[in-house]
Amino acid sequence: AYTDLLKEVAALSEKTLLGTISRREFVEDIVQEILISVHKSLNTYSPDKPFRPWLMAIISYRRTDYLRRHY
């Protein structure tokens, strides 16, 4: 189940990032950072709340961090 979750997180992250990041290799780097963040932060997720907003916040933070480092 955890592997399936990470695959879905990666797919959604990639889809979301491709709309704002033009270079595929940058998207792949950010997706890896997102997967690490999800793994490290999973204990902060509350099952009684929707998963997607929690994940979208992580995607947004990782994208911003990446852009700050590279631009």
Side-chain angles (χ1 to χ4, degrees), residues 19-34:
T20 59
I21 306 291
S22 60
R23 296 188 58 181
R24 168 74 87 187
E25 62 269 21
F26 292 169
V27 170
E28 292 170 1
D29 290 344
I30 300 168
V31 168
Q32 290 302 312
E33 292 293 325
I34 291 166

Side-chain angles (χ1 to χ4, degrees), residues 7 11-12 16 21 23 25 27 33 40 43 51-52 54 63 70:
K7 286 178 183 178
L12 178 61
T16 301
I21 306 291
R23 296 188 58 181
E25 62 269 21
V27 170
E33 292 293 325
K40 288 182 175 180
N43 64 331
F51 183 78
R52 190 177 175 108
W54 178 83
R63 176 180 43 219
H70 289 86

Side-chain angles (χ1 to χ4, degrees), residues 34-51:
I34 291 166
L35 292 173
I36 291 168
S37 294
V38 166
H39 177 73
K40 288 182 175 180
S41 303
L42 205 52
N43 64 331
T44 67
Y45 171 68
S46 177
D48 59 324
K49 299 197 178 189
F51 183 78

Side-chain angles (χ1 to χ4, degrees), residues 57-70:
I58 292 174
I59 292 171
S60 177
Y61 292 136
R62 290 299 141 238
R63 176 180 43 219
T64 300
D65 288 346
Y66 191 86
L67 292 173
R68 281 185 188 142
R69 284 194 309 261
H70 289 86

